[in-house]
Amino acid sequence: MSSLSLITKQHKARLERRVTGSTNRWRLPKQPFSGDLLSLSQMCKALSIDFEEALRNPDRLCISQIQKFFFENFKNKDIQSGEADVILECLGFKWELHQPQLFQSETLAKLYLKALAQGTTHPLRELEELLRAQSPKKTKEKSPAKRIIISLKINDPLVTKVAFATALKNLYMSEVEINLEDALGVLASAHILQFSGLFQRCVDVMIARLKPSTIKKFYEAGCKYKEEQLTTGCEKWLEMNLVPLVGTQIHLHKIPQDLLHKVLKSPRLFTFSEFHLLKTMLLWVFLQLNYKIQAIPTYETVMTFFKSFPENCCFLDRDIGQSLRPLFLCLRLHGITKGKDLEVLRHINFFPESWLDQVTANHYHALENGGDMLYLKDLNTQAVRFGLLFNQENTTYSKTIALYGFFFKIKGLKHDTTSYSFYMQRIKHTDLESPSAVYEHNPVSLRAARLVKYEIRAEALVDGKWQEFRTNQIKQKFGLTTSSCKSHTLKIQTVGMPIYVSFAFIFPAS
């Protein structure tokens, strides 16, 4: 027989009653619940609860009220270490428990109260008899108290014996470490036990320690137990890490389609460029169709796979691709502007011809109008995105981008251990490192000024919570002189690392 009493301190908590006036009526103690069950019946009277009815129908009893009265400060006090008075039969084991600790679990509390009512027409009298055995006046000579046996059937495959034991251990000790490997099982156990404090601790641990190998399991657990904080935490984590981290590992194939769809629609989504995001999505599709692969394939392998389909019908128009259309409708294909990348779009025969024609038409009209993106209005859902991943080793980091003949450098600077700044700057085509290569693949605009609507955003994870920094949505004319070529600077203070920095912009009509 397993005994959780072994983990308690080696002395008995002193039992005492609180007396108020001549009526000896129970009142809210300043100290935690002592194990005096008679006070339970008196508390029911104080709360206008029919005690015998509550015992017969424990589901109607507001356990949370009892918990609030008995255990608000219990976790910081000495724990009762006497003989167990409750036996829980579960998962093929018998677990010895103590009544005061048991009431932290709504499920066990209801089973306990229901067990008290069984086999007697006077449960209150039965309860008082049990109480007399625990009376302080008879502490030395009392006979062993009657043990209550309760049973709990668990059908959740996530609940293991180790995880369930950890959950029960938390009834006695508030600081039991939750291993990441057991977190899912402990969460499931806490859900079944209706042990809200432990359930929240599991959620906090899981959110703080998300990684590519756990994101799917934790997200599905959040959906299963309707825990919005956990599902939202998974979504936020994946919004930052889909392209730079998950998209480089075989765990990408585990990402559920519904989660991926939410992430792709989010304005927080981080990507180095729109083409990087497209490559990540093509890899995800490849892995769904080739699920036996155990290692990330090369980019060339993925491209060859999609090119192998007959040319008479693009992939998204086939039966196999129809269900994936909502995902790819979230991509901003108009943000792919490099000539060689546009060639890839057509060469792999993945997108419908009408989609590609619209992308080509948008580019043609933008070039014809000096870069003006007349078809784009909303910065949150339509802007062209570029990103910097600022790591611990970076003191300065920059990247040059080209769009419709205009050239910008997006840049990050580290000032000290916690201070950073980020901005974008227009540069002359003649100041590029390899101008001849740029001329070969990109147009060059000679316009002196370029109106840009932009926003700079930075995010970092600190203690399981995302710190978000952003500029306003700004409209600014970028010239080529020192006074007009630089954007507003986003200055931040954070200890989080890495820092995900996104630059989103469109060229409005000028």
Side-chain angles (χ1 to χ4, degrees):
M1 181 180 291
S2 302
S3 177
L4 289 177
S5 61
L6 296 177
I7 67 172
T8 61
K9 296 184 178 181
Q10 299 301 311
H11 66 277
K12 295 183 179 180
R14 190 165 68 91
L15 297 173
E16 63 177 36
R17 291 199 38 85
R18 293 273 179 169
V19 179
T20 304
S22 59
T23 62
N24 189 32
R25 182 174 178 174
W26 181 90
R27 67 181 176 88
L28 176 63
K30 293 182 180 179
Q31 300 300 322
F33 177 55
S34 64
D36 184 356
L37 289 177
L38 184 56
S39 65
L40 174 60
S41 65
Q42 294 175 334
M43 187 206 71
C44 286
K45 294 177 183 177
L47 294 173
S48 299
I49 299 173
D50 186 317
F51 184 69
E52 294 197 18
E53 179 65 20
L55 288 175
R56 292 192 182 95
N57 299 281
D59 287 339
R60 298 182 185 179
L61 183 63
C62 184
I63 301 298
S64 62
Q65 288 179 292
I66 299 177
Q67 291 172 323
K68 181 178 179 181
F69 275 89
F70 289 166
F71 300 105
E72 192 167 26
N73 301 309
F74 187 79
K75 62 183 179 180
N76 298 321
K77 304 297 179 180
D78 292 339
I79 297 174
Q80 183 172 334
S81 59
E83 186 177 357
D85 44 26
V86 181
I87 302 297
L88 170 64
E89 297 178 342
C90 185
L91 298 176
F93 281 81
K94 294 182 178 180
W95 313 83
E96 293 187 353
L97 303 174
H98 297 82
Q99 186 271 339
Q101 287 74 30
L102 174 145
F103 265 89
Q104 295 176 80
S105 161
E106 291 194 24
T107 298
L108 297 183
K110 291 174 182 177
L111 290 173
Y112 176 78
L113 293 174
K114 186 176 181 180
L116 279 179
Q118 289 178 347
T120 176
T121 57
H122 301 286
L124 183 57
R125 186 184 305 167
E126 175 74 13
L127 177 59
E128 289 174 344
E129 290 178 2
L130 289 173
L131 294 171
R132 291 192 188 99
Q134 298 185 23
S135 172
K137 297 179 181 179
K138 300 181 179 180
T139 301
K140 294 183 179 180
E141 68 272 11
K142 70 179 182 180
S143 57
K146 178 181 178 181
R147 288 189 173 187
I148 301 293
I149 299 177
I150 59 177
S151 298
L152 177 63
K153 293 184 179 180
I154 297 178
N155 297 318
D156 192 332
L158 294 178
V159 179
T160 64
K161 292 177 181 178
V162 172
F164 191 71
T166 301
L168 293 180
K169 189 176 181 181
N170 273 270
L171 293 174
Y172 292 80
M173 301 173 66
S174 60
E175 299 301 325
V176 177
E177 182 180 357
I178 301 174
N179 296 323
L180 188 62
E181 295 76 17
D182 300 325
L184 198 58
V186 177
L187 179 85
S189 301
H191 175 78
I192 288 171
L193 292 172
Q194 296 183 61
F195 189 176
S196 58
L198 177 60
F199 189 88
Q200 185 59 51
R201 282 186 59 210
C202 290
V203 169
D204 293 341
V205 167
M206 294 161 80
I207 291 176
R209 300 171 68 182
L210 281 166
K211 55 184 180 180
S213 60
T214 61
I215 180 72
K216 175 182 182 289
K217 294 185 293 184
F218 290 178
Y219 173 75
E220 290 179 341
C223 295
K224 179 177 181 178
Y225 303 121
K226 296 179 174 60
E227 178 50 44
E228 186 177 352
Q229 183 184 354
L230 182 55
T231 55
T232 300
C234 291
E235 290 167 19
K236 286 189 173 183
W237 184 88
L238 191 60
E239 286 165 1
M240 293 295 105
N241 291 287
L242 174 62
V243 174
L245 181 60
V246 182
T248 65
Q249 299 186 20
I250 195 63
H251 300 295
L252 176 66
H253 82 277
K254 299 178 182 178
I255 304 300
Q257 184 170 336
D258 66 315
L259 174 58
L260 194 57
H261 193 216
K262 292 177 184 178
V263 168
L264 292 175
K265 291 191 298 182
S266 171
R268 291 181 67 251
L269 175 61
F270 174 85
T271 182
F272 298 114
S273 70
E274 302 300 338
F275 192 66
H276 274 90
L277 179 58
L278 171 61
K279 290 195 293 184
T280 300
M281 287 302 302
L282 291 175
L283 176 58
W284 180 84
V285 175
F286 175 87
L287 293 174
Q288 303 308 300
L289 302 177
N290 299 274
Y291 55 88
K292 292 184 179 181
I293 289 180
Q294 299 297 314
I296 285 288
T298 63
Y299 172 68
E300 290 73 21
T301 299
V302 176
M303 294 298 104
T304 301
F305 172 77
F306 289 114
K307 292 174 189 175
S308 66
F309 287 90
E311 295 183 1
N312 63 329
C313 181
C314 74
F315 182 85
L316 289 182
D317 280 341
R318 298 180 181 278
D319 292 341
I320 197 173
Q322 288 285 342
S323 63
L324 302 179
R325 275 177 167 249
L327 297 178
F328 286 89
L329 283 170
C330 296
L331 301 189
R332 304 177 189 181
L333 298 181
H334 58 266
I336 299 175
T337 60
K338 286 185 179 179
K340 60 179 182 179
D341 295 341
L342 291 171
E343 289 177 8
V344 170
L345 285 186
R346 289 194 173 276
H347 199 47
I348 60 174
N349 194 30
F350 188 89
F351 295 98
E353 194 69 25
S354 60
W355 294 23
L356 300 177
D357 289 344
Q358 186 61 58
V359 171
T360 302
N362 290 340
H363 291 335
Y364 175 81
H365 290 304
L367 288 170
E368 191 177 48
N369 289 278
D372 293 354
M373 303 176 182
L374 303 177
Y375 52 92
L376 302 182
K377 304 297 181 184
D378 184 39
L379 199 64
N380 284 328
T381 60
Q382 296 178 311
V384 180
R385 298 167 293 190
F386 294 92
L388 295 178
L389 190 61
F390 210 85
N391 291 302
Q392 186 67 45
E393 63 272 14
N394 297 131
T395 54
T396 179
Y397 184 39
S398 65
K399 184 163 63 175
T400 300
I401 57 178
L403 192 62
Y404 298 137
F406 298 92
F407 301 90
F408 294 86
K409 182 170 286 187
I410 54 178
K411 193 169 186 178
L413 297 173
K414 180 179 182 180
H415 303 290
D416 56 45
T417 55
T418 61
S419 299
Y420 305 85
S421 61
F422 305 96
Y423 62 91
M424 56 189 287
Q425 179 179 348
R426 186 182 173 189
I427 56 178
K428 298 178 181 178
H429 63 278
T430 54
D431 293 337
L432 299 172
E433 294 181 1
S434 303
S436 59
V438 172
Y439 301 155
E440 183 178 351
H441 297 286
N442 295 278
V444 175
S445 175
L446 300 179
R447 292 179 63 170
R450 173 65 262 172
L451 182 64
V452 182
K453 183 178 181 181
Y454 67 92
E455 179 185 58
I456 305 173
R457 182 198 302 260
E459 302 202 26
L461 188 63
V462 179
D463 296 329
K465 295 183 179 180
W466 287 100
Q467 289 184 331
E468 300 183 17
F469 311 89
R470 61 196 298 181
T471 64
N472 296 323
Q473 293 188 6
I474 302 168
K475 267 190 179 182
Q476 178 182 338
K477 278 191 175 182
F478 283 80
L480 294 171
T481 63
T482 303
S483 60
S484 65
C485 67
K486 187 177 177 181
S487 73
H488 287 234
T489 300
L490 176 63
K491 298 179 180 180
I492 71 171
Q493 294 275 342
T494 184
V495 295
M497 195 59 62
I499 304 172
Y500 304 80
V501 190
S502 295
F503 297 79
F505 57 88
I506 59 177
F507 293 167
S510 55

